[in-house]
Amino acid sequence: MQNIRSVFLLLAGITAFVALAFVTFSVTLAVGGILTVLMVGRALSLKMKPAPVRATAKARSHSGENMRIWNDGRGTIIDL
């Protein structure tokens, strides 16, 4: 009777260890997959952002005759 109880406890311990190892592995794999998807999404979203528009100031007269207005596709620009 003592041997049967020892074998049962041994099998129960091995089963619990394998189950916990499987759960740990699957959770690690799931978290890794989620992080990979987020990193790929962020990398792709950064590539799709347009380059910033650079502007330089020029010396102009303040009479208003050199005013330029144009639309760059993102909004109207008024250059005074």
Side-chain angles (χ1 to χ4, degrees), residues 50-58 68 70 72 74 77 79:
V53 175
R54 303 282 185 222
T56 56
K58 296 181 181 178
R68 296 183 299 165
W70 74 93
D72 67 348
R74 288 184 273 174
I77 298 172
D79 188 8

Side-chain angles (χ1 to χ4, degrees), residues 29-45:
L29 198 62
V31 170
I34 291 169
L35 288 176
T36 301
V37 168
L38 290 176
M39 286 180 8
V40 167
R42 183 172 181 198
L44 291 176
S45 71

